[in-house]
């Protein structure tokens, strides 16, 4: 279920998300406002949101091994930073995608 503050945040994220979008850690709160080619990666990915073209059930720390470099125009990681053991290291790897 979406709440007003979450909707506002998701709308802002979607406004700047362009091209191929990777949403890491989306499962609890998928961004229903993302348009275009959105893909999701989450450890508990069970249901594909209607606006996502594909989902992968994987840990966020594995993302850099799942995709080719420069594959995405936008990477969203709005729900994961508090779950990462070493955020700086993980975001450094994710940045290359």
């Amino acid at each position: 279920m979406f709440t007003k503050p979450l909707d506002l945040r998701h709308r802002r994220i979607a406004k700047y998300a362009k091209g191929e979008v990777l949403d890491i850690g989306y499962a609890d709160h998928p961004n229903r406002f993302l348009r275009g080619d959105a893909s999701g990666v989450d450890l508990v990915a069970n249901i594909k949101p209607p606006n996502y073209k594909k989902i992968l059930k994987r840990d966020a720390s594995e993302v850099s091994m799942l995709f080719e470099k420069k594959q995405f125009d936008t990477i969203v990681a709005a729900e994961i930073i508090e779950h990462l053991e070493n955020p700086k290291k993980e975001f450094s790897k994710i940045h290359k995608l």
Side-chain angles (χ1 to χ4, degrees), residues 6 9-10 13 22-26 29 31 75-83 91:
L6 185 59
R9 186 165 52 120
H10 279 180
I13 290 168
L22 177 62
D23 191 357
I24 304 170
Y26 77 92
H29 304 288
N31 188 331
I75 298 176
V76 177
E79 307 291 337
I80 67 163
I81 194 163
E82 69 274 18
H83 302 288
F91 282 119

Side-chain angles (χ1 to χ4, degrees), residues 4 12 14-15 19 21 28 43 48 50 54 58 79-80 92:
K4 189 172 183 174
R12 286 184 185 144
K15 177 180 176 182
V21 179
D28 286 342
L43 190 57
K48 185 175 87 55
K54 69 179 179 179
R58 301 298 284 266
E79 307 291 337
I80 67 163
S92 158

Side-chain angles (χ1 to χ4, degrees), residues 2 10 13 25 34-35 37 45 51 55 69 88 95:
F2 292 97
H10 279 180
I13 290 168
L34 290 176
R35 298 289 176 250
D37 294 325
N51 60 320
I55 61 169
K69 290 182 180 179
K88 184 176 180 178
H95 181 265

Side-chain angles (χ1 to χ4, degrees), residues 18-22 53 63-75 91-97:
K18 305 292 182 218
E20 289 275 335
V21 179
L22 177 62
K53 71 176 182 177
V63 168
S64 64
M65 296 178 281
L66 299 173
F67 302 100
E68 297 176 25
K69 290 182 180 179
K70 307 287 184 187
Q71 183 172 343
F72 297 97
D73 301 302
T74 305
I75 298 176
F91 282 119
S92 158
K93 291 190 285 186
I94 290 168
H95 181 265
K96 296 174 185 170
L97 298 174

